[in-house]
Amino acid sequence: MEIDQRSDLYSLGAIFYEIITGNLPLIVNDLVEWTHAHLARKIETPENFNPSIPTIISRIIMRLLEKAPEDRYQSAYGLLEDLKECKRQITLKGAIEPFPIAHKDVSANFHLPKKLYGRYKDRIVLKEAFDYVCDGHAAIVLVSGYPGIGKTMLVNECLKSFVQEKGHFIAGKFDQLKQSIPYAPISAAFANLVKRLMTENQEILEAWKKKILHALGRNGTVITEFIPELEWIIGKQNPIDLLSPKETENRFQMVFRDFVMALSGKEYPLVIFLDDLQWADSSSLHLLRYLSQDANLQYILFIGAYRENEVDENHALTDMLTEFNKGKVFFRHISLLPIEKKQILEMITETLHTGNENITGLVETLYRKTAGNPFFLEV
Ligand SMILES: Nc1ncnc2c1ncn2[C@@H]1O[C@H](COP(=O)(O)OP(=O)(O)O)[C@@H](O)[C@H]1O
Ligand SMILES: [Mg+2]
C-alpha cells in the first residue's frame, strides 16, 4: 500500500474521533490485530457512540477513517472547507444541518486521464491466456518492447479489468540496483496479496490459513522467511533444517510451488505480473523456469515484461525464452510495436476535445517525432 497525504488524513480522523468520543476508533490487543483492524474492522460511528454528536461531524470523521484512501478526503483543503461550513452554521444557527460533504474536495495531484489506446491484438492474447488459466491451467506470457512503448500499462490495464470479476492480480517490479536481493519483487507482490486477504472476515481468513498450512506442512518457515507478512495469517512457524545453498534453493522452489497452488483456485485465479524482468536476479529466473516445467499448475498466470533492447543473446532471459517454449506450461510472447497513427489521432482528439480536421498536422508531427512511443507522446 502506498503512503501519501491521505494516510495523514486517516490519522487526523483517528485524533478527531478520540477527541470527540473519548475512545479510539479501534481497540485491539496486539500488533497483528492492529493491521487487521485498520484494514478490515468496521468502526462505530461517533454518532452511534453519542447521539448528541451532530450527524455531519460524525460523517466527516468517518470519511477520514475510510479504509480505502480513494474513499477518504483527497485533500486537507476539502476537509477544511467542510469544517468552515460547520463553523459558519454553528455561529449562525447554533446547530449544523446535514449538507453534502467533500463538495470542494479535489486531489492535490493532477491526473492525466489514463486510458489504453489501441493494442487490440495484444489484449486478445492476454485475454486468451487468462481464459485458458480460468479453465484450470497455468500460462506464462512475456511482453517485450522498448522502454516507454507501453508494456507496463498494457498488462496493468488488461489484467486489472479481467480479474475484476474473480481472481487476484499481484505485481512486483525488478530494480536494477537491487539485483543482489533474491526474489525481492516476488515477495513484495505476495506480501500485498497477504494484506488483501487480511481484509476478509475471520471465517474466510481461517479457511485460507487451513489451506496454506496444509500446503506448506512443516516447511512454513521457508515461505515466512521470505514473506514475513504471511505470519499474520498462519502464525509463527517452526524452525527448518539448515541446508546447503543449492539445497535451500531447491527446497524453496518446491515449497513455493505448493504455496502458489494453495493461493490459486477456480474461484480465485492468480495473476502474477513481474515487471522489468531484464533486471531479475538469477534465483527469481530459476524459480520461474522451475514453475514453467510443472504440468500440474492450475489457475495461475505469470506475466513478465522486459526491455527487448537490454536483453541480448547472453542474457539469462534469452535461455529462459527457449526453456519456456519447450516447457510444460502454455507460453505466449508479445512483442510490443509502436502505436499507430490512428491511435495518436484518437489520443489527441480526446485530450484536446477537438475535431479531426484541425489536428492532422499535429498528429503527423507527433508521429514522426515520437516514432509511436507513447512515453514520448506524453512528455
Ligand atoms: N496504448 C497506450 N495508450 C495510452 N497511453 C499509453 C499506451 N501505452 C503506454 N502509454 C503511456 O506511455 C507511458 C509509458 O508506458 P509504460 O507502460 O510505462 O511503458 P513501458 O513499461 O513499456 O516502459 C505511460 O505513461 C503510459 O500511460
Ligand atoms: Mg514498464
Side-chain angles (χ1 to χ4, degrees), residues 148-375:
I149 207 80
K151 304 179 290 295
T152 305
M153 183 174 198
L154 171 74
V155 175
N156 278 333
E157 292 304 302
C158 288
L159 271 305
K160 274 185 197 155
S161 79
F162 299 164
V163 300
Q164 231 160 37
E165 274 170 40
K166 61 170 182 177
H168 293 294
F169 174 69
I170 57 174
K173 189 171 153 58
F174 289 97
D175 186 324
Q176 191 166 20
L177 303 175
K178 291 190 193 147
Q179 286 178 41
S180 58
I181 312 170
Y183 311 120
I186 302 182
S187 61
F190 280 88
N192 262 323
L193 179 57
V194 168
K195 286 180 195 156
R196 232 176 290 163
L197 296 180
M198 291 293 289
T199 64
E200 301 283 5
N201 67 36
Q202 212 56 46
E203 198 183 326
I204 297 181
L205 261 182
E206 203 51 46
W208 279 112
K209 177 177 176 177
K210 245 171 108 180
K211 195 163 183 238
I212 295 169
L213 280 177
H214 181 74
L216 299 184
R218 291 181 306 126
N219 288 317
T221 303
V222 173
I223 303 296
T224 54
E225 265 179 355
F226 131 100
I227 312 164
E229 290 82 353
L230 187 63
E231 285 185 1
W232 298 343
I233 299 181
I234 63 170
K236 219 161 177 60
Q237 298 294 298
N238 292 327
I240 39 169
D241 298 335
L242 216 58
L243 302 176
S244 72
K246 186 71 206 144
E247 288 167 324
T248 306
E249 183 168 10
N250 290 345
R251 175 175 63 187
F252 181 78
Q253 292 177 344
M254 286 190 280
V255 181
F256 184 80
R257 172 205 176 271
D258 296 338
F259 178 59
V260 284
M261 286 281 275
L263 289 174
S264 56
K266 196 171 169 44
E267 268 69 54
Y268 34 86
L270 181 60
V271 183
I272 305 162
F273 174 31
L274 297 175
D275 205 352
D276 285 324
L277 269 183
Q278 74 277 0
W279 295 320
D281 59 283
S282 60
S283 305
S284 294
L285 290 181
H286 291 163
L287 179 64
L288 285 179
R289 186 173 55 208
Y290 174 81
L291 295 169
S292 75
Q293 303 303 321
D294 191 323
N296 294 321
L297 288 182
Q298 283 190 306
Y299 305 108
I300 300 175
L301 175 58
F302 294 99
I303 304 186
Y306 67 91
R307 298 182 172 179
E308 227 155 57
N309 55 315
E310 292 186 28
V311 173
D312 59 15
E313 67 268 31
N314 300 318
H315 195 289
L317 255 182
T318 307
D319 288 340
M320 294 274 294
L321 283 176
T322 325
E323 300 261 354
F324 286 166
N325 268 317
K326 291 190 305 202
K328 299 218 169 59
V329 170
F330 175 95
F331 172 59
R332 285 281 177 277
H333 181 187
I334 297 175
S335 179
L336 274 192
L337 300 174
I339 58 170
E340 295 164 33
K341 221 183 277 180
K342 255 199 326 243
Q343 267 98 49
I344 300 183
L345 177 70
E346 202 183 325
M347 245 183 211
I348 306 293
T349 314
E350 287 185 19
T351 312
L352 301 180
H353 306 286
T354 98
N356 290 357
E357 37 326 318
N358 308 332
I359 53 170
T360 22
L362 177 61
V363 171
E364 283 296 334
T365 314
L366 283 173
Y367 185 66
R368 228 179 27 245
K369 292 208 161 172
T370 63
N373 184 314
F375 176 73

Side-chain angles (χ1 to χ4, degrees), residues 94-161:
I96 318 169
E97 278 173 20
F99 59 88
I101 63 170
H103 233 57
K104 299 201 173 131
D105 192 26
V106 279
S107 173
N109 304 323
F110 173 69
H111 295 292
L112 275 173
K114 282 276 172 207
K115 182 179 155 188
L116 182 69
Y117 290 88
R119 302 290 184 224
Y120 302 110
K121 282 194 196 126
D122 311 306
R123 294 186 213 213
I124 291 172
V125 175
L126 288 172
K127 183 75 171 87
E128 281 173 354
F130 182 71
D131 288 344
Y132 182 70
V133 161
C134 290
D135 276 343
H137 306 96
I140 300 174
V141 180
L142 290 185
V143 182
S144 64
Y146 276 84
I149 207 80
K151 304 179 290 295
T152 305
M153 183 174 198
L154 171 74
V155 175
N156 278 333
E157 292 304 302
C158 288
L159 271 305
K160 274 185 197 155
S161 79

Side-chain angles (χ1 to χ4, degrees), residues 8-25 46 53 57-58 60-62 64-65 73 76 79-80 83:
D8 294 332
L9 290 167
Y10 181 86
S11 311
L12 186 61
I15 296 170
F16 283 172
Y17 194 99
E18 194 177 1
I19 293 175
I20 213 151
T21 65
N23 286 289
L24 289 171
I53 295 169
I57 297 289
S58 185
I60 290 174
I61 294 176
M62 290 308 281
L64 289 165
L65 290 171
Y73 281 96
L79 169 67
L80 182 65
L83 293 177

